[in-house]
Amino acid sequence: MDGRVRRGQTTRDRVIEVATELFAAEGFDAVSIESVLAACGISRGALYHHFPGKEALFAAVVDVVEARIAATVAATAGSVADPLASLFAAATAWLELAARDPAVRRIVLTDGPAVLSPQLWQEIEERYALGLVQAALARLAEAGHLPAERVGLYANLLLAMLTRAAFLIARAPDPEAEIATCRETLAAVVGGLLRE
């Protein structure tokens, strides 16, 4: 990678980092391109070289935050040997991020669905989350707890449930209590899918 390309990537990364902080703290509507430029100390042309507008910048921010979520959830899942315990650990990690991480709450769960097109929202969710859920359920199928031919269907249904649970948690007056309720419900649903 030559120096110009490296500098361009550094600028792009810096803009996303600063925009993530601003969007998490203030929300999409309150953040202007001017405030991003001022916080980054770059010109309008430098920003528009990487992002054609505020919505494109926000989509890049959502993508980066989703990648961070996926890395956290995957690391949690990978730290637990038992496939069922691993699934619950990963699900809990996601629900706790929904409750405790301001970037996840504001960017992914509040502004993301309102700003991004439904198609782009779904593409990002499938890129990062669906594969993790499928992998967790495939481990359960390999252990004989689920029919292998249902892993894809169950993964889509479970992801939808986890996404809705995260929305509830992010908006709950008591997010910690909502985590406990969602975990109990998740255990009941997954328990109903498992073979004895």
mmCIF file with all atom_site columns, all heavy atoms in Angstrom, residues 101-126:
data_model
loop_
_atom_site.group_PDB
_atom_site.id
_atom_site.type_symbol
_atom_site.label_atom_id
_atom_site.label_alt_id
_atom_site.label_comp_id
_atom_site.label_asym_id
_atom_site.label_entity_id
_atom_site.label_seq_id
_atom_site.pdbx_PDB_ins_code
_atom_site.Cartn_x
_atom_site.Cartn_y
_atom_site.Cartn_z
_atom_site.occupancy
_atom_site.B_iso_or_equiv
_atom_site.pdbx_formal_charge
_atom_site.auth_seq_id
_atom_site.auth_comp_id
_atom_site.auth_asym_id
_atom_site.auth_atom_id
_atom_site.pdbx_PDB_model_num
ATOM 1   N N   . ASP A 1 101 ? -24.023 -0.452  26.053 1.00 0.00 ? 101 ASP A N   1
ATOM 2   C CA  . ASP A 1 101 ? -23.108 0.257   25.158 1.00 0.00 ? 101 ASP A CA  1
ATOM 3   C C   . ASP A 1 101 ? -23.865 1.379   24.449 1.00 0.00 ? 101 ASP A C   1
ATOM 4   O O   . ASP A 1 101 ? -24.750 1.114   23.641 1.00 0.00 ? 101 ASP A O   1
ATOM 5   C CB  . ASP A 1 101 ? -22.521 -0.725  24.141 1.00 0.00 ? 101 ASP A CB  1
ATOM 6   C CG  . ASP A 1 101 ? -21.445 -0.112  23.280 1.00 0.00 ? 101 ASP A CG  1
ATOM 7   O OD1 . ASP A 1 101 ? -21.642 1.023   22.790 1.00 0.00 ? 101 ASP A OD1 1
ATOM 8   O OD2 . ASP A 1 101 ? -20.408 -0.767  23.066 1.00 0.00 ? 101 ASP A OD2 1
ATOM 9   N N   . PRO A 1 102 ? -23.514 2.634   24.719 1.00 0.00 ? 102 PRO A N   1
ATOM 10  C CA  . PRO A 1 102 ? -24.251 3.748   24.108 1.00 0.00 ? 102 PRO A CA  1
ATOM 11  C C   . PRO A 1 102 ? -24.221 3.739   22.579 1.00 0.00 ? 102 PRO A C   1
ATOM 12  O O   . PRO A 1 102 ? -25.211 4.102   21.942 1.00 0.00 ? 102 PRO A O   1
ATOM 13  C CB  . PRO A 1 102 ? -23.542 4.993   24.650 1.00 0.00 ? 102 PRO A CB  1
ATOM 14  C CG  . PRO A 1 102 ? -22.811 4.539   25.860 1.00 0.00 ? 102 PRO A CG  1
ATOM 15  C CD  . PRO A 1 102 ? -22.476 3.088   25.648 1.00 0.00 ? 102 PRO A CD  1
ATOM 16  N N   . ALA A 1 103 ? -23.110 3.314   21.986 1.00 0.00 ? 103 ALA A N   1
ATOM 17  C CA  . ALA A 1 103 ? -23.036 3.266   20.516 1.00 0.00 ? 103 ALA A CA  1
ATOM 18  C C   . ALA A 1 103 ? -23.996 2.231   19.965 1.00 0.00 ? 103 ALA A C   1
ATOM 19  O O   . ALA A 1 103 ? -24.665 2.459   18.953 1.00 0.00 ? 103 ALA A O   1
ATOM 20  C CB  . ALA A 1 103 ? -21.602 2.973   20.061 1.00 0.00 ? 103 ALA A CB  1
ATOM 21  N N   . VAL A 1 104 ? -24.086 1.095   20.618 1.00 0.00 ? 104 VAL A N   1
ATOM 22  C CA  . VAL A 1 104 ? -25.015 0.054   20.160 1.00 0.00 ? 104 VAL A CA  1
ATOM 23  C C   . VAL A 1 104 ? -26.450 0.533   20.324 1.00 0.00 ? 104 VAL A C   1
ATOM 24  O O   . VAL A 1 104 ? -27.269 0.410   19.406 1.00 0.00 ? 104 VAL A O   1
ATOM 25  C CB  . VAL A 1 104 ? -24.774 -1.273  20.925 1.00 0.00 ? 104 VAL A CB  1
ATOM 26  C CG1 . VAL A 1 104 ? -25.840 -2.305  20.578 1.00 0.00 ? 104 VAL A CG1 1
ATOM 27  C CG2 . VAL A 1 104 ? -23.379 -1.820  20.628 1.00 0.00 ? 104 VAL A CG2 1
ATOM 28  N N   . ARG A 1 105 ? -26.740 1.088   21.482 1.00 0.00 ? 105 ARG A N   1
ATOM 29  C CA  . ARG A 1 105 ? -28.115 1.533   21.744 1.00 0.00 ? 105 ARG A CA  1
ATOM 30  C C   . ARG A 1 105 ? -28.559 2.610   20.758 1.00 0.00 ? 105 ARG A C   1
ATOM 31  O O   . ARG A 1 105 ? -29.630 2.535   20.174 1.00 0.00 ? 105 ARG A O   1
ATOM 32  C CB  . ARG A 1 105 ? -28.242 2.064   23.171 1.00 0.00 ? 105 ARG A CB  1
ATOM 33  C CG  . ARG A 1 105 ? -28.182 0.963   24.212 1.00 0.00 ? 105 ARG A CG  1
ATOM 34  C CD  . ARG A 1 105 ? -28.311 1.511   25.587 1.00 0.00 ? 105 ARG A CD  1
ATOM 35  N NE  . ARG A 1 105 ? -29.715 1.816   25.840 1.00 0.00 ? 105 ARG A NE  1
ATOM 36  C CZ  . ARG A 1 105 ? -30.195 2.088   27.031 1.00 0.00 ? 105 ARG A CZ  1
ATOM 37  N NH1 . ARG A 1 105 ? -29.404 2.126   28.074 1.00 0.00 ? 105 ARG A NH1 1
ATOM 38  N NH2 . ARG A 1 105 ? -31.461 2.356   27.193 1.00 0.00 ? 105 ARG A NH2 1
ATOM 39  N N   . ARG A 1 106 ? -27.738 3.638   20.583 1.00 0.00 ? 106 ARG A N   1
ATOM 40  C CA  . ARG A 1 106 ? -28.160 4.777   19.773 1.00 0.00 ? 106 ARG A CA  1
ATOM 41  C C   . ARG A 1 106 ? -27.991 4.497   18.282 1.00 0.00 ? 106 ARG A C   1
ATOM 42  O O   . ARG A 1 106 ? -28.904 4.712   17.491 1.00 0.00 ? 106 ARG A O   1
ATOM 43  C CB  . ARG A 1 106 ? -27.342 6.007   20.182 1.00 0.00 ? 106 ARG A CB  1
ATOM 44  C CG  . ARG A 1 106 ? -27.604 7.263   19.359 1.00 0.00 ? 106 ARG A CG  1
ATOM 45  C CD  . ARG A 1 106 ? -29.006 7.822   19.542 1.00 0.00 ? 106 ARG A CD  1
ATOM 46  N NE  . ARG A 1 106 ? -29.155 8.447   20.809 1.00 0.00 ? 106 ARG A NE  1
ATOM 47  C CZ  . ARG A 1 106 ? -29.209 9.741   21.032 1.00 0.00 ? 106 ARG A CZ  1
ATOM 48  N NH1 . ARG A 1 106 ? -29.136 10.577  20.031 1.00 0.00 ? 106 ARG A NH1 1
ATOM 49  N NH2 . ARG A 1 106 ? -29.358 10.205  22.238 1.00 0.00 ? 106 ARG A NH2 1
ATOM 50  N N   . ILE A 1 107 ? -26.806 4.018   17.888 1.00 0.00 ? 107 ILE A N   1
ATOM 51  C CA  . ILE A 1 107 ? -26.499 3.891   16.462 1.00 0.00 ? 107 ILE A CA  1
ATOM 52  C C   . ILE A 1 107 ? -27.187 2.689   15.846 1.00 0.00 ? 107 ILE A C   1
ATOM 53  O O   . ILE A 1 107 ? -27.848 2.800   14.807 1.00 0.00 ? 107 ILE A O   1
ATOM 54  C CB  . ILE A 1 107 ? -24.970 3.816   16.252 1.00 0.00 ? 107 ILE A CB  1
ATOM 55  C CG1 . ILE A 1 107 ? -24.324 5.149   16.648 1.00 0.00 ? 107 ILE A CG1 1
ATOM 56  C CG2 . ILE A 1 107 ? -24.626 3.445   14.816 1.00 0.00 ? 107 ILE A CG2 1
ATOM 57  C CD1 . ILE A 1 107 ? -22.808 5.114   16.748 1.00 0.00 ? 107 ILE A CD1 1
ATOM 58  N N   . VAL A 1 108 ? -27.057 1.524   16.466 1.00 0.00 ? 108 VAL A N   1
ATOM 59  C CA  . VAL A 1 108 ? -27.573 0.297   15.862 1.00 0.00 ? 108 VAL A CA  1
ATOM 60  C C   . VAL A 1 108 ? -29.062 0.107   16.124 1.00 0.00 ? 108 VAL A C   1
ATOM 61  O O   . VAL A 1 108 ? -29.805 -0.273  15.226 1.00 0.00 ? 108 VAL A O   1
ATOM 62  C CB  . VAL A 1 108 ? -26.763 -0.931  16.363 1.00 0.00 ? 108 VAL A CB  1
ATOM 63  C CG1 . VAL A 1 108 ? -27.379 -2.239  15.890 1.00 0.00 ? 108 VAL A CG1 1
ATOM 64  C CG2 . VAL A 1 108 ? -25.317 -0.833  15.893 1.00 0.00 ? 108 VAL A CG2 1
ATOM 65  N N   . LEU A 1 109 ? -29.494 0.368   17.358 1.00 0.00 ? 109 LEU A N   1
ATOM 66  C CA  . LEU A 1 109 ? -30.868 0.008   17.730 1.00 0.00 ? 109 LEU A CA  1
ATOM 67  C C   . LEU A 1 109 ? -31.872 1.156   17.681 1.00 0.00 ? 109 LEU A C   1
ATOM 68  O O   . LEU A 1 109 ? -33.070 0.908   17.647 1.00 0.00 ? 109 LEU A O   1
ATOM 69  C CB  . LEU A 1 109 ? -30.868 -0.623  19.128 1.00 0.00 ? 109 LEU A CB  1
ATOM 70  C CG  . LEU A 1 109 ? -30.078 -1.923  19.219 1.00 0.00 ? 109 LEU A CG  1
ATOM 71  C CD1 . LEU A 1 109 ? -29.947 -2.369  20.676 1.00 0.00 ? 109 LEU A CD1 1
ATOM 72  C CD2 . LEU A 1 109 ? -30.720 -3.015  18.370 1.00 0.00 ? 109 LEU A CD2 1
ATOM 73  N N   . THR A 1 110 ? -31.411 2.385   17.659 1.00 0.00 ? 110 THR A N   1
ATOM 74  C CA  . THR A 1 110 ? -32.350 3.504   17.590 1.00 0.00 ? 110 THR A CA  1
ATOM 75  C C   . THR A 1 110 ? -32.306 4.169   16.218 1.00 0.00 ? 110 THR A C   1
ATOM 76  O O   . THR A 1 110 ? -33.295 4.165   15.480 1.00 0.00 ? 110 THR A O   1
ATOM 77  C CB  . THR A 1 110 ? -32.049 4.529   18.707 1.00 0.00 ? 110 THR A CB  1
ATOM 78  O OG1 . THR A 1 110 ? -32.124 3.872   19.975 1.00 0.00 ? 110 THR A OG1 1
ATOM 79  C CG2 . THR A 1 110 ? -33.046 5.673   18.663 1.00 0.00 ? 110 THR A CG2 1
ATOM 80  N N   . ASP A 1 111 ? -31.157 4.702   15.852 1.00 0.00 ? 111 ASP A N   1
ATOM 81  C CA  . ASP A 1 111 ? -31.077 5.449   14.600 1.00 0.00 ? 111 ASP A CA  1
ATOM 82  C C   . ASP A 1 111 ? -30.912 4.536   13.379 1.00 0.00 ? 111 ASP A C   1
ATOM 83  O O   . ASP A 1 111 ? -31.413 4.872   12.302 1.00 0.00 ? 111 ASP A O   1
ATOM 84  C CB  . ASP A 1 111 ? -29.921 6.451   14.651 1.00 0.00 ? 111 ASP A CB  1
ATOM 85  C CG  . ASP A 1 111 ? -30.200 7.610   15.598 1.00 0.00 ? 111 ASP A CG  1
ATOM 86  O OD1 . ASP A 1 111 ? -31.370 7.801   15.968 1.00 0.00 ? 111 ASP A OD1 1
ATOM 87  O OD2 . ASP A 1 111 ? -29.248 8.323   15.964 1.00 0.00 ? 111 ASP A OD2 1
ATOM 88  N N   . GLY A 1 112 ? -30.220 3.429   13.530 1.00 0.00 ? 112 GLY A N   1
ATOM 89  C CA  . GLY A 1 112 ? -29.973 2.544   12.386 1.00 0.00 ? 112 GLY A CA  1
ATOM 90  C C   . GLY A 1 112 ? -31.224 2.174   11.611 1.00 0.00 ? 112 GLY A C   1
ATOM 91  O O   . GLY A 1 112 ? -31.305 2.414   10.396 1.00 0.00 ? 112 GLY A O   1
ATOM 92  N N   . PRO A 1 113 ? -32.237 1.617   12.275 1.00 0.00 ? 113 PRO A N   1
ATOM 93  C CA  . PRO A 1 113 ? -33.447 1.240   11.550 1.00 0.00 ? 113 PRO A CA  1
ATOM 94  C C   . PRO A 1 113 ? -34.209 2.428   10.963 1.00 0.00 ? 113 PRO A C   1
ATOM 95  O O   . PRO A 1 113 ? -34.916 2.291   9.976  1.00 0.00 ? 113 PRO A O   1
ATOM 96  C CB  . PRO A 1 113 ? -34.303 0.534   12.611 1.00 0.00 ? 113 PRO A CB  1
ATOM 97  C CG  . PRO A 1 113 ? -33.351 0.139   13.681 1.00 0.00 ? 113 PRO A CG  1
ATOM 98  C CD  . PRO A 1 113 ? -32.261 1.162   13.670 1.00 0.00 ? 113 PRO A CD  1
ATOM 99  N N   . ALA A 1 114 ? -34.051 3.595   11.562 1.00 0.00 ? 114 ALA A N   1
ATOM 100 C CA  . ALA A 1 114 ? -34.760 4.773   11.075 1.00 0.00 ? 114 ALA A CA  1
ATOM 101 C C   . ALA A 1 114 ? -34.056 5.436   9.894  1.00 0.00 ? 114 ALA A C   1
ATOM 102 O O   . ALA A 1 114 ? -34.702 6.026   9.029  1.00 0.00 ? 114 ALA A O   1
ATOM 103 C CB  . ALA A 1 114 ? -34.913 5.789   12.213 1.00 0.00 ? 114 ALA A CB  1
ATOM 104 N N   . VAL A 1 115 ? -32.736 5.330   9.845  1.00 0.00 ? 115 VAL A N   1
ATOM 105 C CA  . VAL A 1 115 ? -31.958 6.044   8.831  1.00 0.00 ? 115 VAL A CA  1
ATOM 106 C C   . VAL A 1 115 ? -31.655 5.167   7.619  1.00 0.00 ? 115 VAL A C   1
ATOM 107 O O   . VAL A 1 115 ? -31.769 5.608   6.474  1.00 0.00 ? 115 VAL A O   1
ATOM 108 C CB  . VAL A 1 115 ? -30.642 6.584   9.441  1.00 0.00 ? 115 VAL A CB  1
ATOM 109 C CG1 . VAL A 1 115 ? -29.747 7.196   8.374  1.00 0.00 ? 115 VAL A CG1 1
ATOM 110 C CG2 . VAL A 1 115 ? -30.942 7.589   10.550 1.00 0.00 ? 115 VAL A CG2 1
ATOM 111 N N   . LEU A 1 116 ? -31.271 3.925   7.861  1.00 0.00 ? 116 LEU A N   1
ATOM 112 C CA  . LEU A 1 116 ? -30.887 3.036   6.764  1.00 0.00 ? 116 LEU A CA  1
ATOM 113 C C   . LEU A 1 116 ? -32.117 2.468   6.068  1.00 0.00 ? 116 LEU A C   1
ATOM 114 O O   . LEU A 1 116 ? -33.154 2.284   6.697  1.00 0.00 ? 116 LEU A O   1
ATOM 115 C CB  . LEU A 1 116 ? -30.024 1.885   7.290  1.00 0.00 ? 116 LEU A CB  1
ATOM 116 C CG  . LEU A 1 116 ? -28.737 2.265   8.019  1.00 0.00 ? 116 LEU A CG  1
ATOM 117 C CD1 . LEU A 1 116 ? -28.018 1.008   8.491  1.00 0.00 ? 116 LEU A CD1 1
ATOM 118 C CD2 . LEU A 1 116 ? -27.830 3.105   7.146  1.00 0.00 ? 116 LEU A CD2 1
ATOM 119 N N   . SER A 1 117 ? -31.972 2.155   4.807  1.00 0.00 ? 117 SER A N   1
ATOM 120 C CA  . SER A 1 117 ? -33.071 1.488   4.101  1.00 0.00 ? 117 SER A CA  1
ATOM 121 C C   . SER A 1 117 ? -33.253 0.099   4.703  1.00 0.00 ? 117 SER A C   1
ATOM 122 O O   . SER A 1 117 ? -32.290 -0.493  5.217  1.00 0.00 ? 117 SER A O   1
ATOM 123 C CB  . SER A 1 117 ? -32.758 1.359   2.611  1.00 0.00 ? 117 SER A CB  1
ATOM 124 O OG  . SER A 1 117 ? -31.712 0.400   2.410  1.00 0.00 ? 117 SER A OG  1
ATOM 125 N N   . PRO A 1 118 ? -34.472 -0.453  4.655  1.00 0.00 ? 118 PRO A N   1
ATOM 126 C CA  . PRO A 1 118 ? -34.667 -1.805  5.180  1.00 0.00 ? 118 PRO A CA  1
ATOM 127 C C   . PRO A 1 118 ? -33.732 -2.831  4.535  1.00 0.00 ? 118 PRO A C   1
ATOM 128 O O   . PRO A 1 118 ? -33.240 -3.729  5.209  1.00 0.00 ? 118 PRO A O   1
ATOM 129 C CB  . PRO A 1 118 ? -36.137 -2.105  4.848  1.00 0.00 ? 118 PRO A CB  1
ATOM 130 C CG  . PRO A 1 118 ? -36.777 -0.761  4.777  1.00 0.00 ? 118 PRO A CG  1
ATOM 131 C CD  . PRO A 1 118 ? -35.727 0.156   4.222  1.00 0.00 ? 118 PRO A CD  1
ATOM 132 N N   . GLN A 1 119 ? -33.463 -2.664  3.236  1.00 0.00 ? 119 GLN A N   1
ATOM 133 C CA  . GLN A 1 119 ? -32.581 -3.606  2.548  1.00 0.00 ? 119 GLN A CA  1
ATOM 134 C C   . GLN A 1 119 ? -31.152 -3.517  3.099  1.00 0.00 ? 119 GLN A C   1
ATOM 135 O O   . GLN A 1 119 ? -30.525 -4.543  3.373  1.00 0.00 ? 119 GLN A O   1
ATOM 136 C CB  . GLN A 1 119 ? -32.574 -3.333  1.054  1.00 0.00 ? 119 GLN A CB  1
ATOM 137 C CG  . GLN A 1 119 ? -31.647 -4.275  0.282  1.00 0.00 ? 119 GLN A CG  1
ATOM 138 C CD  . GLN A 1 119 ? -31.633 -3.976  -1.205 1.00 0.00 ? 119 GLN A CD  1
ATOM 139 O OE1 . GLN A 1 119 ? -32.402 -3.163  -1.701 1.00 0.00 ? 119 GLN A OE1 1
ATOM 140 N NE2 . GLN A 1 119 ? -30.745 -4.640  -1.918 1.00 0.00 ? 119 GLN A NE2 1
ATOM 141 N N   . LEU A 1 120 ? -30.634 -2.316  3.272  1.00 0.00 ? 120 LEU A N   1
ATOM 142 C CA  . LEU A 1 120 ? -29.276 -2.160  3.791  1.00 0.00 ? 120 LEU A CA  1
ATOM 143 C C   . LEU A 1 120 ? -29.199 -2.642  5.234  1.00 0.00 ? 120 LEU A C   1
ATOM 144 O O   . LEU A 1 120 ? -28.233 -3.299  5.630  1.00 0.00 ? 120 LEU A O   1
ATOM 145 C CB  . LEU A 1 120 ? -28.826 -0.701  3.687  1.00 0.00 ? 120 LEU A CB  1
ATOM 146 C CG  . LEU A 1 120 ? -27.411 -0.395  4.176  1.00 0.00 ? 120 LEU A CG  1
ATOM 147 C CD1 . LEU A 1 120 ? -26.377 -1.275  3.476  1.00 0.00 ? 120 LEU A CD1 1
ATOM 148 C CD2 . LEU A 1 120 ? -27.100 1.085   3.991  1.00 0.00 ? 120 LEU A CD2 1
ATOM 149 N N   . TRP A 1 121 ? -30.209 -2.328  6.016  1.00 0.00 ? 121 TRP A N   1
ATOM 150 C CA  . TRP A 1 121 ? -30.257 -2.787  7.411  1.00 0.00 ? 121 TRP A CA  1
ATOM 151 C C   . TRP A 1 121 ? -30.171 -4.315  7.448  1.00 0.00 ? 121 TRP A C   1
ATOM 152 O O   . TRP A 1 121 ? -29.402 -4.896  8.217  1.00 0.00 ? 121 TRP A O   1
ATOM 153 C CB  . TRP A 1 121 ? -31.543 -2.286  8.066  1.00 0.00 ? 121 TRP A CB  1
ATOM 154 C CG  . TRP A 1 121 ? -31.753 -2.842  9.433  1.00 0.00 ? 121 TRP A CG  1
ATOM 155 C CD1 . TRP A 1 121 ? -32.611 -3.840  9.789  1.00 0.00 ? 121 TRP A CD1 1
ATOM 156 C CD2 . TRP A 1 121 ? -31.088 -2.452  10.632 1.00 0.00 ? 121 TRP A CD2 1
ATOM 157 N NE1 . TRP A 1 121 ? -32.510 -4.090  11.126 1.00 0.00 ? 121 TRP A NE1 1
ATOM 158 C CE2 . TRP A 1 121 ? -31.588 -3.250  11.671 1.00 0.00 ? 121 TRP A CE2 1
ATOM 159 C CE3 . TRP A 1 121 ? -30.118 -1.507  10.920 1.00 0.00 ? 121 TRP A CE3 1
ATOM 160 C CZ2 . TRP A 1 121 ? -31.155 -3.130  12.980 1.00 0.00 ? 121 TRP A CZ2 1
ATOM 161 C CZ3 . TRP A 1 121 ? -29.675 -1.390  12.229 1.00 0.00 ? 121 TRP A CZ3 1
ATOM 162 C CH2 . TRP A 1 121 ? -30.198 -2.187  13.242 1.00 0.00 ? 121 TRP A CH2 1
ATOM 163 N N   . GLN A 1 122 ? -30.959 -4.986  6.623  1.00 0.00 ? 122 GLN A N   1
ATOM 164 C CA  . GLN A 1 122 ? -30.966 -6.440  6.585  1.00 0.00 ? 122 GLN A CA  1
ATOM 165 C C   . GLN A 1 122 ? -29.621 -6.997  6.108  1.00 0.00 ? 122 GLN A C   1
ATOM 166 O O   . GLN A 1 122 ? -29.114 -7.971  6.653  1.00 0.00 ? 122 GLN A O   1
ATOM 167 C CB  . GLN A 1 122 ? -32.086 -6.952  5.680  1.00 0.00 ? 122 GLN A CB  1
ATOM 168 C CG  . GLN A 1 122 ? -32.193 -8.466  5.660  1.00 0.00 ? 122 GLN A CG  1
ATOM 169 C CD  . GLN A 1 122 ? -33.369 -8.947  4.829  1.00 0.00 ? 122 GLN A CD  1
ATOM 170 O OE1 . GLN A 1 122 ? -34.207 -8.170  4.399  1.00 0.00 ? 122 GLN A OE1 1
ATOM 171 N NE2 . GLN A 1 122 ? -33.417 -10.239 4.608  1.00 0.00 ? 122 GLN A NE2 1
ATOM 172 N N   . GLU A 1 123 ? -29.018 -6.356  5.101  1.00 0.00 ? 123 GLU A N   1
ATOM 173 C CA  . GLU A 1 123 ? -27.707 -6.813  4.602  1.00 0.00 ? 123 GLU A CA  1
ATOM 174 C C   . GLU A 1 123 ? -26.653 -6.759  5.697  1.00 0.00 ? 123 GLU A C   1
ATOM 175 O O   . GLU A 1 123 ? -25.862 -7.695  5.854  1.00 0.00 ? 123 GLU A O   1
ATOM 176 C CB  . GLU A 1 123 ? -27.256 -5.948  3.422  1.00 0.00 ? 123 GLU A CB  1
ATOM 177 C CG  . GLU A 1 123 ? -28.006 -6.204  2.140  1.00 0.00 ? 123 GLU A CG  1
ATOM 178 C CD  . GLU A 1 123 ? -27.653 -5.184  1.048  1.00 0.00 ? 123 GLU A CD  1
ATOM 179 O OE1 . GLU A 1 123 ? -26.695 -4.405  1.229  1.00 0.00 ? 123 GLU A OE1 1
ATOM 180 O OE2 . GLU A 1 123 ? -28.352 -5.167  0.022  1.00 0.00 ? 123 GLU A OE2 1
ATOM 181 N N   . ILE A 1 124 ? -26.637 -5.682  6.455  1.00 0.00 ? 124 ILE A N   1
ATOM 182 C CA  . ILE A 1 124 ? -25.648 -5.552  7.528  1.00 0.00 ? 124 ILE A CA  1
ATOM 183 C C   . ILE A 1 124 ? -25.910 -6.585  8.611  1.00 0.00 ? 124 ILE A C   1
ATOM 184 O O   . ILE A 1 124 ? -24.982 -7.242  9.097  1.00 0.00 ? 124 ILE A O   1
ATOM 185 C CB  . ILE A 1 124 ? -25.646 -4.119  8.096  1.00 0.00 ? 124 ILE A CB  1
ATOM 186 C CG1 . ILE A 1 124 ? -25.126 -3.137  7.047  1.00 0.00 ? 124 ILE A CG1 1
ATOM 187 C CG2 . ILE A 1 124 ? -24.800 -4.030  9.370  1.00 0.00 ? 124 ILE A CG2 1
ATOM 188 C CD1 . ILE A 1 124 ? -25.264 -1.672  7.427  1.00 0.00 ? 124 ILE A CD1 1
ATOM 189 N N   . GLU A 1 125 ? -27.167 -6.757  8.988  1.00 0.00 ? 125 GLU A N   1
ATOM 190 C CA  . GLU A 1 125 ? -27.508 -7.743  10.008 1.00 0.00 ? 125 GLU A CA  1
ATOM 191 C C   . GLU A 1 125 ? -27.107 -9.151  9.568  1.00 0.00 ? 125 GLU A C   1
ATOM 192 O O   . GLU A 1 125 ? -26.536 -9.919  10.340 1.00 0.00 ? 125 GLU A O   1
ATOM 193 C CB  . GLU A 1 125 ? -29.007 -7.686  10.305 1.00 0.00 ? 125 GLU A CB  1
ATOM 194 C CG  . GLU A 1 125 ? -29.429 -8.620  11.436 1.00 0.00 ? 125 GLU A CG  1
ATOM 195 C CD  . GLU A 1 125 ? -30.888 -8.479  11.785 1.00 0.00 ? 125 GLU A CD  1
ATOM 196 O OE1 . GLU A 1 125 ? -31.737 -8.809  10.934 1.00 0.00 ? 125 GLU A OE1 1
ATOM 197 O OE2 . GLU A 1 125 ? -31.179 -8.046  12.906 1.00 0.00 ? 125 GLU A OE2 1
ATOM 198 N N   . GLU A 1 126 ? -27.397 -9.483  8.326  1.00 0.00 ? 126 GLU A N   1
ATOM 199 C CA  . GLU A 1 126 ? -27.050 -10.810 7.829  1.00 0.00 ? 126 GLU A CA  1
ATOM 200 C C   . GLU A 1 126 ? -25.536 -10.983 7.711  1.00 0.00 ? 126 GLU A C   1
ATOM 201 O O   . GLU A 1 126 ? -25.011 -12.057 7.985  1.00 0.00 ? 126 GLU A O   1
ATOM 202 C CB  . GLU A 1 126 ? -27.724 -11.069 6.482  1.00 0.00 ? 126 GLU A CB  1
ATOM 203 C CG  . GLU A 1 126 ? -29.215 -11.284 6.614  1.00 0.00 ? 126 GLU A CG  1
ATOM 204 C CD  . GLU A 1 126 ? -29.924 -11.504 5.293  1.00 0.00 ? 126 GLU A CD  1
ATOM 205 O OE1 . GLU A 1 126 ? -29.264 -11.460 4.230  1.00 0.00 ? 126 GLU A OE1 1
ATOM 206 O OE2 . GLU A 1 126 ? -31.151 -11.720 5.324  1.00 0.00 ? 126 GLU A OE2 1
#
